[in-house]
Amino acid sequence: MRLLIVSLAAFIATEATAEGFAAQNLSTVATKVGSAIGKGFNHKVDPKRATFQCTDCKGSPIIDFQIGRQNDGTEGRVRSGQTTISQLEQLCQLRNPSCKLSKLEVSPAVGWISNWTAGPVASSTAVILRDGDILTIRSISSDADMARDYAEKAAQAALRHIVGK
């Protein structure tokens, strides 16, 4: 009987930690992201942050990944529809009127991508949330389409390896 109780307790403890992303280490996806975004990028990677930069590429793009935790309820409100993509876009436009925001298909996580410009700089930010974990991918370039393209490529390259199924 004791063995059953100990086994059950171990199982429950294992289940409780099975939240969030499948992987917590961005070092594991650096090669895949580098291949997806193209040649010419230098990168610096540690477990919670990865930055790719190409000074010789058109638009001088920089792509930055950060992984962390966000338990403020945003994920649940987006999942339930209480907070809509258009409401998120309105919030973004309060900070920058040029902001455009759309949903990212990242199931089983939830996510969106925003695009905005500030003078000669264009930025695209992908946000992916799952069970309290957050992956933020920021892409900056002198070209708005390029910034979004790099953010989308980087997100898709990392998606299955970080978010999981």
Side-chain angles (χ1 to χ4, degrees), residues 43 47 53 68 77 101 116 118 126 133-134 137 153 165:
H43 65 276
Q53 180 178 14
R77 289 189 301 275
L101 190 137
W116 52 268
D133 283 346
I134 184 170
I137 303 167
K153 284 179 182 177
K165 297 178 182 179

Side-chain angles (χ1 to χ4, degrees), residues 36-47:
I37 60 177
K39 296 181 182 193
F41 282 85
N42 295 315
H43 65 276
K44 181 179 181 198
V45 180
D46 67 45

Side-chain angles (χ1 to χ4, degrees), residues 23-150:
Q24 296 290 323
N25 187 340
L26 292 175
S27 302
T28 64
V29 298
T31 303
K32 292 186 184 323
V33 171
S35 295
I37 60 177
K39 296 181 182 193
F41 282 85
N42 295 315
H43 65 276
K44 181 179 181 198
V45 180
D46 67 45
K48 299 292 182 190
R49 187 170 197 169
T51 304
F52 298 79
Q53 180 178 14
C54 184
T55 55
D56 294 332
C57 297
K58 179 183 174 192
S60 301
I62 300 170
I63 301 107
D64 185 63
F65 282 72
Q66 284 188 296
I67 196 168
R69 297 282 298 161
Q70 181 171 325
N71 291 313
D72 68 355
T74 300
E75 178 185 355
R77 289 189 301 275
V78 171
R79 272 190 199 285
S80 71
Q82 181 182 355
T83 299
T84 65
I85 294 298
S86 61
Q87 288 171 321
L88 290 172
E89 183 176 55
Q90 289 172 357
L91 289 172
C92 186
Q93 288 173 345
L94 288 174
R95 286 186 234 139
N96 185 314
S98 71
C99 181
K100 300 293 180 207
L101 190 137
S102 58
K103 182 179 179 180
L104 272 179
E105 295 300 331
V106 291
S107 181
V110 296
W112 58 87
I113 188 165
S114 62
N115 307 289
W116 52 268
T117 57
V121 177
S123 180
S124 188
T125 303
V127 175
I128 301 168
L129 299 161
R130 182 176 185 191
D131 298 329
D133 283 346
I134 184 170
L135 176 62
T136 306
I137 303 167
R138 289 183 181 91
S139 174
I140 299 170
S141 175
S142 62
D143 178 87
D145 291 334
M146 188 176 291
R148 182 178 177 110
D149 187 49
Y150 279 122

